[in-house]
Amino acid sequence: GSDPPDQTPPHPSAAFLGGPGEGSPCASGLGWAGEGPGASGKNRRVCHAAARLEMGSLWEEFNRLGTEMIVTKAGRRMFPTFQVKLSGLDPLADYVLLMDFIPLDDKRYRYAFHSSSWLAAGRAEPAAPGRVHFHPDSPAKGAQWMRQIVSFDKLKLTNNLLDDNGHIILNSMHRYQPRFHVVLVDPRRDSERFAHQNFKSFSFPETQFMAVTAYQNHRITQLKIASNPFAKGFRDGDPEP
């Protein structure tokens, strides 16, 4: 059967009619029309995937001020933590979830304290090694991912180009957009032929940030302390929030 024409993910039994290993793409017109029909369509097990950013109002509050995220040699967790609520996955299929961070522009910045604003200060440094962070529960069934909020609280940001802990490497005083990816684990032997059909990516503009080694805008410092229960003496051994 063809997929329903509306944008909302239908009941799973309708969305995932294909048997195991069937990779028929979603009908175009479900948000992927720009990619054209046929080979570039998305696998029906990812094309209905939807992600809602958690703590959206807090992210918005930071974004209005100009979010800053600390990077350290040892690696620092993000606050707010990147968290999403997933829907539209096939409950019985396996998925890997991961994140990466892409530069928002080709500039390096400095903070002008007298005007409380960020100014471009020349060309970006050469891009740090592009890394991805796999959610540690990967791979897991769609049902498990959808059951609770998915939290990337183990992810750490570093400015150490030689980091060997697997942390995300960023250049300080550069702007970044976090990206979130849902990747279907394709059981077919020749699955790499279908790799471009087997993932769906999400970007939330309100999560973009400036990487810094120390907070520049004092309002960001205040908001972090006010809203982060661990801001006063953040330690790795802390219980999960």
Side-chain angles (χ1 to χ4, degrees), residues 222-239:
Q222 289 166 347
L223 185 54
K224 296 254 184 178
I225 291 169
S227 49
N228 182 357
F230 303 133
K232 304 168 188 69
F234 195 104
R235 297 183 308 283
D236 260 7
D238 278 319

Side-chain angles (χ1 to χ4, degrees), residues 32-218:
W32 297 102
E35 301 195 20
S40 56
K42 293 290 177 177
N43 188 305
R44 63 169 62 245
R45 288 189 175 76
V46 295
C47 68
H48 297 292
R52 188 188 74 217
L53 181 69
E54 292 294 308
M55 299 191 299
S57 54
L58 184 60
W59 279 106
E60 281 291 352
E61 220 180 323
F62 275 105
N63 190 38
R64 279 196 298 272
L65 295 174
T67 309
E68 299 172 25
M69 292 287 179
I70 297 277
V71 293
T72 65
K73 194 161 192 305
R76 178 72 69 90
R77 293 183 190 188
M78 293 169 66
F79 185 84
T81 306
F82 190 91
Q83 298 179 321
V84 287
K85 187 80 174 75
L86 287 172
S87 57
L89 304 181
D90 179 346
L92 301 178
D94 286 304
Y95 298 87
V96 167
L97 304 190
L98 61 135
M99 287 188 70
D100 65 359
F101 293 73
I102 54 168
L104 268 166
D105 53 45
D106 58 359
K107 296 178 177 63
R108 181 161 56 76
Y109 289 85
R110 65 183 177 84
Y111 190 72
F113 291 94
H114 61 90
S115 60
S116 301
S117 59
W118 287 97
L119 305 176
R123 304 279 302 180
E125 315 278 326
R131 282 185 171 175
V132 299
H133 173 89
F134 288 88
H135 191 285
D137 295 348
S138 303
K141 299 279 178 221
Q144 182 184 330
W145 289 126
M146 292 188 290
R147 198 172 294 134
Q148 67 259 322
I149 290 167
V150 175
S151 180
F152 282 87
D153 47 20
K154 302 283 187 285
L155 187 155
K156 290 187 176 180
L157 308 177
T158 185
N159 57 348
N160 177 14
L161 293 170
L162 304 176
D163 174 80
D164 57 4
N165 298 302
H167 301 330
I168 296 287
I169 302 174
L170 304 179
N171 285 321
S172 180
M173 308 305 256
H174 292 58
R175 293 178 66 211
Y176 292 94
Q177 172 68 59
R179 290 192 307 186
F180 166 64
H181 311 275
V182 175
V183 183
L184 174 70
V185 178
D186 191 332
R188 291 175 288 186
R189 269 218 311 275
D190 53 351
S191 62
E192 58 280 355
R193 278 179 47 214
F194 306 102
H196 62 287
Q197 300 177 3
N198 286 340
F199 73 93
K200 190 170 180 182
S201 301
F202 302 87
S203 279
F204 302 97
E206 62 270 43
T207 61
Q208 54 188 241
F209 63 86
M210 185 77 69
V212 296
T213 51
Y215 294 128
Q216 307 292 298
N217 180 347
H218 70 96

